Amino acid sequence: MEAGESGMGTTMGSHVTVAGDREQSAPPAAAPCLRHQLRSISPRAALETTLIVLGLLMQLEFFPHGATSDGYGRYVELSQLLDIGVLSGGKYSLIGPLFSTPLYLLGRLYHSPIWAISYYNAAVFAIGLLVLYLLLKDAVDRRLLRMFLLLLVTSTMFPQSTLDFFGEPFTAMCVGVGLVAAVFRRSWRGWVAIVLGVASTPASLVGLALAAAGRMLFTRRLWPLLALVLAGALVALENTIRRGSPTNSGYEAGFGYPIVIGLISIFFSYGKGLIFFTPGLLLPIRSRLLGPGDESSRHLYQVYLLWMAFLAGLILVYSDWWAWFGGWWWGPRFFLIACLPASLALAVYLRTPSRSLFVNVVVLVVLALSFWVGINGLMFGLQGLNICTRGYNYLIPLCVYNPQYSELWRAFLVPLPFGKRDVIYCAYSLVAFGYLALPVARAIGRQTRDVAHTYLALGGLRAWRF
C-alpha cells in the first residue's frame, strides 16, 4: 500500500476491489503538523493531483471563454432580470444561470458581467470535481478516483463545454455528483442538486424518471419519486411564471423526428456520435467491480448504472427531436453526462489491466481516442468548418454524418491554427496520456512477450518456408 493512501484497492486477476484495506492506526494525540501531512502523500498521489490541477488551470488560462449562441441568450435573459428586473419569456431556463449571479455582480465591478459569467461553467466543473473527490475519497480506491478525475479533465467533452455559458455543464455536474451523494451518503442534498440540475434542462425529466426508477429498484423505497415530482413542479412553475402555462417550455416544436434515425445518429454519426466522443461507454465493468462482500464496489456500480439510466432517458427524448445534434456546436452537447460513466469505465480498466491482450489493446485505443476528444475540443473546436455555417440546418447530412466534415476529424484534412499555448497544452496532454496508459502498456508488453515465447516454443518459426 502506498503511504498515506487510505481506501486503496487490491487486485485479484481482473477484478477491482474498490474499498480495499484501510490503514488501521490509533488516533494521534494531537493533529499532525503540516510537514508530516505533506510527507505522508505518496509521489504517485502528488503527481496525479498535480496533473488534475494543472489541467484545470491551463484550460482556464490558455483558451478563450465567452458567451455565444445559446450561451449569449442565457446571458441576455439573466442580465434583464438582474439589471432591470424583467423576467423574460424566453425559452432558456434561468435556474442554472441564476447560480452565476455572484460572478455577474463581480463582473460589474471588474471588467464586465459577460466576461465574468463566461467562466461560470469552468467553476461549476472544478467545484463538481472537488465534491466528487470529497464524497468518494474514503469510500473507493483513491488511485482509481484520481484516475477517474484526471480522465474527466483531460479526455472528455467537459473541458470544451466550460468555455461558454451553455446549460449542459450545470445539469451534468448537478445530476452526476448528486447521484453519487444519494448512493454513497444517502444524503437529501444530493437529491436537491439533482432536482436543480434537471429543472434547468426540462428535457432531462425522462432521464430522472429512469434514474429514480433504478434507485427504487435498488433500495425498494418509493421516496426517489419525490425528486421527480419536485423537479417536474419546478419546471412547471418556471413555465407558468415566464410563459403563462405549466407545459409551455418553448421547445414543443420539432418533436416527431423518426426515433430510429435519431438513435442511429446519436450513436454512430461521425460528427456527433457517442461512440466517437465517449468511447469508454463501450467498456463493460460489471464483472470488474462486483465482488463478494464489497459494499463500496456495489455502490460505485450502482452509481454507474444510474448515470447510464439518466443518459438513456436523454437519448430517448432527443432522438425524437429534429435538432438531436445540438445545433452549431462542438460535439453531442446534450449528452455531456455520458462523460461520467465513460470515464469511470476507462479508469477501472486502466487501474487494473485485463488478463486478455486483446482487451488491453482495445482499452489503449479507447484511451487514445478519448484524449483526442479532449485535445480536439479545446484546440480546434469548429475551426475549418466555415462551409457548415452557410445554412447549417440544411447541411446536416454533410456536417454531421460525413467524416470529412466532422469537427472531430477535420484537423487531419485542413491546416488549422496551432499556437504556442496549443503546443504547451498538447505536451501536457501527452504526459497525462502516457502516465495513464503506462499500466496497460506494460501489460501489453508482457502479454505480447508471452505470446511470442509460446509461439516460438511450439515451433512457430519452423512452420514458415521461403
Side-chain angles (χ1 to χ4, degrees), residues 106-134:
L106 180 63
R108 285 180 177 175
L109 303 176
Y110 176 74
H111 212 289
S112 66
I114 194 170
W115 170 84
I117 59 96
S118 69
Y119 291 92
Y120 171 62
N121 280 328
V124 168
F125 182 47
I127 293 172
L129 294 180
L130 177 60
V131 176
L132 276 174
Y133 178 78
L134 295 176

Side-chain angles (χ1 to χ4, degrees), residues 54 276 279 288 359 403 426 432:
L54 185 60
F276 300 111
R288 300 178 66 84
V359 171
C426 191

Side-chain angles (χ1 to χ4, degrees), residues 85-217:
V86 173
L87 188 61
S88 75
K91 62 182 180 179
Y92 304 115
S93 173
L94 279 172
I95 294 174
L98 276 174
F99 286 89
S100 70
T101 300
L103 283 176
Y104 188 95
L105 298 177
L106 180 63
R108 285 180 177 175
L109 303 176
Y110 176 74
H111 212 289
S112 66
I114 194 170
W115 170 84
I117 59 96
S118 69
Y119 291 92
Y120 171 62
N121 280 328
V124 168
F125 182 47
I127 293 172
L129 294 180
L130 177 60
V131 176
L132 276 174
Y133 178 78
L134 295 176
L135 288 173
L136 296 174
K137 67 183 180 68
D138 294 324
V140 305
D141 178 303
R142 286 196 181 178
R143 191 177 179 216
L144 174 66
L145 175 58
R146 290 192 300 267
M147 295 175 82
F148 168 57
L149 297 180
L150 182 55
L151 285 168
L152 288 176
V153 170
T154 58
S155 56
T156 65
M157 299 185 290
F158 269 114
Q160 198 277 341
S161 73
T162 65
L163 303 182
D164 213 304
F165 194 51
F166 279 59
E168 287 75 23
F170 179 82
T171 295
M173 293 310 295
C174 282
V175 173
V177 176
L179 287 172
V180 172
V183 172
F184 277 89
R185 300 294 180 89
R186 298 181 179 271
S187 172
W188 60 269
R189 296 177 181 87
W191 288 105
V192 170
I194 293 169
V195 167
L196 292 174
V198 169
S200 183
T201 305
S204 63
L205 279 167
V206 177
L208 176 56
L210 295 183
R215 183 60 178 162
M216 286 189 293
L217 289 175

Side-chain angles (χ1 to χ4, degrees), residues 109-360:
L109 303 176
Y110 176 74
H111 212 289
S112 66
I114 194 170
W115 170 84
I117 59 96
S118 69
Y119 291 92
Y120 171 62
N121 280 328
V124 168
F125 182 47
I127 293 172
L129 294 180
L130 177 60
V131 176
L132 276 174
Y133 178 78
L134 295 176
L135 288 173
L136 296 174
K137 67 183 180 68
D138 294 324
V140 305
D141 178 303
R142 286 196 181 178
R143 191 177 179 216
L144 174 66
L145 175 58
R146 290 192 300 267
M147 295 175 82
F148 168 57
L149 297 180
L150 182 55
L151 285 168
L152 288 176
V153 170
T154 58
S155 56
T156 65
M157 299 185 290
F158 269 114
Q160 198 277 341
S161 73
T162 65
L163 303 182
D164 213 304
F165 194 51
F166 279 59
E168 287 75 23
F170 179 82
T171 295
M173 293 310 295
C174 282
V175 173
V177 176
L179 287 172
V180 172
V183 172
F184 277 89
R185 300 294 180 89
R186 298 181 179 271
S187 172
W188 60 269
R189 296 177 181 87
W191 288 105
V192 170
I194 293 169
V195 167
L196 292 174
V198 169
S200 183
T201 305
S204 63
L205 279 167
V206 177
L208 176 56
L210 295 183
R215 183 60 178 162
M216 286 189 293
L217 289 175
F218 287 124
T219 62
R220 293 184 172 85
R221 299 291 185 273
L222 296 178
W223 53 262
L225 280 177
L226 179 61
L228 181 62
V229 172
L230 291 176
L234 194 54
V235 169
L237 179 62
E238 183 180 17
N239 289 342
T240 301
I241 293 174
R242 299 182 61 195
R243 289 175 284 274
S245 169
T247 59
N248 184 5
S249 66
Y251 284 97
E252 286 73 24
F255 284 94
Y257 190 76
I259 292 179
V260 173
I261 296 178
L263 289 173
I264 294 173
S265 302
I266 288 170
F267 282 103
F268 301 110
S269 61
Y270 289 105
K272 304 292 180 179
L274 290 176
I275 66 168
F276 300 111
F277 285 85
T278 54
L281 294 176
L282 300 174
L283 301 174
I285 64 172
R286 183 179 186 277
S287 61
R288 300 178 66 84
L289 276 183
L290 296 185
D294 191 346
E295 184 178 3
S296 294
S297 295
R298 290 196 297 272
H299 284 166
L300 190 59
Y301 184 61
Q302 184 181 140
V303 168
Y304 171 84
L305 292 179
L306 295 179
W307 285 341
M308 293 290 281
F310 188 85
L311 172 63
L314 293 178
I315 292 172
L316 288 175
V317 170
Y318 286 111
S319 63
D320 188 44
W321 195 34
W322 74 273
W324 59 267
F325 47 86
W328 178 241
W329 183 255
W330 183 90
R333 66 183 178 97
F334 294 142
F335 312 108
L336 184 61
I337 198 171
C339 299
L340 293 171
S343 297
L344 177 60
L346 187 52
V348 168
Y349 278 84
L350 294 173
R351 177 69 178 91
T352 310
S354 173
R355 293 176 176 176
S356 167
L357 173 61
F358 174 77
V359 171
N360 286 331

Side-chain angles (χ1 to χ4, degrees), residues 439-456:
V440 173
R442 284 176 174 172
I444 291 174
R446 289 192 301 267
Q447 291 163 341
T448 303
R449 180 194 60 198
D450 294 341
V451 169
H453 286 173
T454 302
Y455 182 74
L456 292 174

Side-chain angles (χ1 to χ4, degrees), residues 356-437:
S356 167
L357 173 61
F358 174 77
V359 171
N360 286 331
V361 171
V362 170
V363 169
L364 197 58
V365 171
V366 169
L367 178 65
L369 178 55
S370 299
F371 260 86
W372 173 243
V373 169
I375 293 172
N376 177 273
L378 286 174
M379 296 200 306
F380 302 122
L382 295 171
Q383 295 184 79
L385 291 169
N386 295 333
I387 185 176
C388 295
T389 63
R390 303 166 190 169
Y392 183 68
N393 293 340
Y394 300 101
L395 293 174
I396 293 171
L398 175 69
C399 302
V400 172
Y401 296 105
N402 193 322
Q404 186 172 342
Y405 292 93
S406 163
E407 56 263 42
L408 201 57
W409 316 112
R410 189 65 172 170
F412 293 105
L413 298 173
V414 178
L416 297 177
F418 198 79
K420 180 179 179 181
R421 291 184 174 185
D422 295 320
V423 173
I424 296 174
Y425 186 78
C426 191
Y428 157 79
S429 295
L430 289 175
V431 170
F433 170 80
Y435 178 79
L436 289 171

